[in-house]
Amino acid sequence: MAAEIITTDDLREFKLELLDDFRKLLAEQKGIPTKKWLRSEEVKKLLNISPGTLQNLRVNGTLPFTKMGGVLYYDAQDIQNILQSNKIG
């Protein structure tokens, strides 16, 4: 059986990967999406809004979107920025 030597750099890299995985899990628990692009259904669920409200946000330019092959995609960071900019208090 061959022995494998683990260096401190290996341990440091493992630690960083593990911390990143924990951050992603915690973000999911808080309802913060970890994906870059969200589809309409995901945005409606995240914001608890109706299809009409989502359409109004698109039409009036509040929420930027990308359309590919008939599917609308929204940047998760744009949604977070909008929520933060409309924060009261």
Side-chain angles (χ1 to χ4, degrees), residues 34-88:
T34 56
K35 296 189 323 185
K36 168 85 172 136
W37 295 100
L38 304 173
R39 297 176 109 181
S40 294
E41 288 301 318
E42 295 168 307
V43 174
K44 289 187 296 187
K45 184 177 178 183
L46 176 69
L47 299 177
N48 195 27
I49 58 175
S50 69
T53 300
L54 184 56
Q55 182 178 5
N56 285 337
L57 292 172
R58 282 194 313 267
V59 170
N60 67 23
T62 302
L63 185 56
F65 65 96
T66 299
K67 186 174 184 179
M68 288 185 62
V71 179
L72 299 174
Y73 295 95
Y74 306 85
D75 188 330
Q77 189 59 50
D78 286 341
I79 295 170
Q80 292 300 320
N81 292 342
I82 292 167
L83 290 172
Q84 192 65 33
S85 67
N86 289 300
K87 186 176 178 180
I88 299 172

